[in-house]
Amino acid sequence: MRKDEIPKETVNRLPIYLRCLNRILLRGHSTISSDELANLVSMSPAKIRKDLSYFGKFGTRGVGYEVKPLIERIRGILNLDKNWKLALVGVGNVGSALLSHPGFHRGCFKIELVFDDDPELIGKEISGKKVHDSSEISNLVEKGLVQIGIIAVPNEKARDVAERLVRGGVTGIINFAPVSIDLHDDVKIYQIDISTELSRLTYHMVP
Amino acid sequence: MRKDEIPKETVNRLPIYLRCLNRILLRGHSTISSDELANLVSMSPAKIRKDLSYFGKFGTRGVGYEVKPLIERIRGILNLDKNWKLALVGVGNVGSALLSHPGFHRGCFKIELVFDDDPELIGKEISGKKVHDSSEISNLVEKGLVQIGIIAVPNEKARDVAERLVRGGVTGIINFAPVSIDLHDDVKIYQIDISTELSRLTYHMVP
């Protein structure tokens, strides 16, 4: 099955399974039943089996899933067994929080380049990373073979930054600015926005 | 149809439709065809029609959707026509970014209370909000009739903060700490985590 034929919702759930399986491994368990896994991620066992079935055969009836091989397999599917170079644009509050996020100091994601357009910040080091001038984005991103851009700038600058990243060869973007950016189809953009999550939450709540 | 019978993915897409419709309204359009809307959110018109069909009858064949009534209707479904009081715990980088987020200075979400356990911060004002001692969470959240908590503290403190919020009567939580928190079923937790979004992104990318 081709990657783009697999339901988006299935792909979106894989990182959640992965986080859960990593926790189980840390607790010292080597197998988990599909009921237990379902319980931990608050989903039906049937749905988990259906999700995983897109990627091959997993689990043994009566035994469940072997945790470590399943983790490896999901990491492979999500391309987390590769190394990814990131460029962070904007070192305000959000950017600074990302620079100290433990996820970027181990594992497959490495923040390679940091940019800002504030003359007070350019040339300084933040969390051990030199801040480059945003006017250099395309040039340095291309030289550094960076694949992923993180946009953490104010709304009105987000589109321009996205275009510079793409000109430098970036094909995936995480956008923290609460504004939608349309780019051409071969660049994937994911937006992280508190308003979106809050409205998903209030749907379920009794006012 | 009962709220919990509607697919999670449908609910998750409603805020995306809403953001898109708001943009269309700002551009001065009063109607939009289901093809145009589909194009803007990168989905099939059939899927959008299916999603909306869970909530009633929308749109007219040959004309499309009337933007303003559709916005009002989706806002109603997501409970965004109510007022929500929030408590923010943790005013490090993430918390500070949230305090200056434009979304909390208009609209239905209001950060009512701010907490931290750093003695240097307690009693100070940040973005016009007084920082209270985290030991007071349950007490003040209950008095203030706060419904939603935002957790922006280090991993190891996240679970304790969640429990204090719930004791104060909070029934919905947004968790920015990259750690899963299991609480009882009547509390909804949404996690915002860059690692999750990054792995959804790399799934689609060619390494």
Side-chain angles (χ1 to χ4, degrees):
Chain A
M1 186 172 266
R2 276 175 37 206
K3 278 208 155 183
D4 54 4
E5 290 172 328
I6 291 164
K8 202 175 162 184
E9 290 73 33
T10 294
V11 177
N12 282 346
R13 281 190 288 265
L14 292 179
I16 297 168
Y17 299 154
L18 191 58
R19 190 166 57 209
C20 188
L21 290 163
N22 278 321
R23 259 196 304 159
I24 291 159
L25 194 68
L26 275 176
R27 288 185 199 156
H29 302 288
S30 61
T31 57
I32 183 165
S33 74
S34 100
D35 279 6
E36 286 171 296
L37 181 58
N39 197 24
L40 283 169
V41 295
S42 308
M43 277 176 43
S44 76
K47 202 164 196 174
I48 296 180
R49 280 194 293 270
K50 171 84 183 151
D51 278 348
L52 294 178
S53 74
Y54 289 107
F55 306 99
K57 213 188 134 354
F58 296 95
T60 315
R61 192 176 293 268
V63 179
Y65 299 105
E66 283 192 78
V67 178
K68 219 166 175 175
L70 186 54
I71 287 176
E72 288 313 313
R73 192 73 181 82
I74 297 179
R75 287 180 52 82
I77 295 165
L78 294 172
N79 284 320
L80 301 178
D81 53 352
K82 320 287 189 308
N83 287 312
W84 296 96
K85 291 185 186 175
L86 279 60
L88 168 67
V89 188
V91 278
N93 283 316
V94 173
S96 303
L98 291 170
L99 278 174
S100 56
H101 189 291
F104 295 116
H105 299 274
R106 50 175 166 70
C108 60
F109 296 110
K110 189 167 175 260
I111 296 180
E112 189 84 6
L113 289 167
V114 175
F115 298 94
D116 205 292
D117 63 359
D118 180 349
E120 297 272 309
L121 294 173
I122 296 165
K124 291 229 170 94
E125 280 208 2
I126 299 184
S127 300
K129 297 279 168 191
K130 190 182 165 191
V131 180
H132 296 277
D133 189 330
S134 292
S135 66
E136 298 245 54
I137 291 175
S138 302
N139 182 20
L140 293 179
V141 159
E142 190 173 4
K143 265 193 208 150
L145 301 173
V146 168
Q147 304 118 316
I148 296 174
I150 303 182
I151 299 180
V153 299
N155 279 5
E156 63 277 13
K157 296 179 183 171
R159 157 165 293 282
D160 178 53
V161 164
E163 284 166 0
R164 285 162 190 257
L165 286 165
V166 172
R167 272 202 299 277
V170 154
T171 56
I173 288 176
I174 302 276
N175 174 27
F176 280 92
V179 59
S180 299
I181 304 173
D182 310 311
L183 292 170
H184 40 93
D185 285 346
D186 44 346
V187 181
K188 266 270 165 199
I189 300 201
Y190 276 71
Q191 187 160 17
I192 299 185
D193 178 23
I194 176 102
S195 311
T196 305
E197 296 306 323
L198 277 170
S199 24
R200 286 171 183 164
L201 186 66
T202 49
Y203 169 82
H204 297 280
M205 292 174 67
V206 183
Chain B
M1 184 172 264
R2 275 175 38 206
K3 278 208 153 183
D4 55 3
E5 291 173 327
I6 292 165
K8 202 175 164 185
E9 290 74 32
T10 293
V11 177
N12 281 347
R13 281 191 288 266
L14 292 181
I16 298 168
Y17 299 153
L18 191 58
R19 189 165 58 209
C20 187
L21 289 164
N22 278 322
R23 259 196 305 158
I24 291 160
L25 194 66
L26 274 177
R27 288 184 198 158
H29 301 288
S30 59
T31 58
I32 184 166
S33 75
S34 99
D35 279 8
E36 286 172 295
L37 181 57
N39 197 25
L40 284 170
V41 295
S42 308
M43 278 176 42
S44 76
K47 203 162 194 176
I48 295 179
R49 278 193 295 268
K50 171 84 182 150
D51 278 348
L52 294 179
S53 74
Y54 289 107
F55 305 99
K57 213 188 134 349
F58 296 96
T60 314
R61 192 176 290 270
V63 178
Y65 299 106
E66 282 191 78
V67 179
K68 220 165 176 178
L70 186 54
I71 287 176
E72 288 312 311
R73 192 73 182 84
I74 297 179
R75 288 180 52 83
I77 294 164
L78 294 170
N79 284 321
L80 301 178
D81 52 353
K82 320 286 189 305
N83 288 311
W84 296 96
K85 289 185 186 177
L86 279 60
L88 167 68
V89 188
V91 278
N93 283 316
V94 173
S96 303
L98 290 171
L99 278 174
S100 55
H101 190 291
F104 295 117
H105 299 275
R106 51 174 166 69
C108 61
F109 297 110
K110 193 169 172 254
I111 297 181
E112 189 84 5
L113 288 167
V114 175
F115 298 94
D116 205 291
D117 63 359
D118 180 349
E120 297 272 309
L121 292 173
I122 296 166
K124 291 227 170 97
E125 281 209 358
I126 298 184
S127 300
K129 297 279 169 194
K130 191 182 164 190
V131 181
H132 297 277
D133 189 331
S134 291
S135 67
E136 298 245 53
I137 292 176
S138 302
N139 182 18
L140 292 179
V141 159
E142 191 173 4
K143 264 195 209 150
L145 302 172
V146 167
Q147 304 119 317
I148 298 174
I150 303 182
I151 299 180
V153 299
N155 280 4
E156 64 278 12
K157 297 181 183 171
R159 158 168 292 282
D160 178 53
V161 164
E163 283 166 0
R164 285 162 190 255
L165 286 166
V166 172
R167 272 203 298 279
V170 152
T171 56
I173 288 175
I174 302 278
N175 175 28
F176 280 91
V179 59
S180 298
I181 304 173
D182 310 310
L183 291 171
H184 38 94
D185 286 347
D186 43 347
V187 181
K188 268 270 162 197
I189 299 201
Y190 276 73
Q191 187 161 18
I192 299 185
D193 178 24
I194 178 102
S195 311
T196 305
E197 296 306 323
L198 277 170
S199 26
R200 287 171 183 165
L201 186 65
T202 49
Y203 170 82
H204 297 281
M205 291 174 69
V206 183

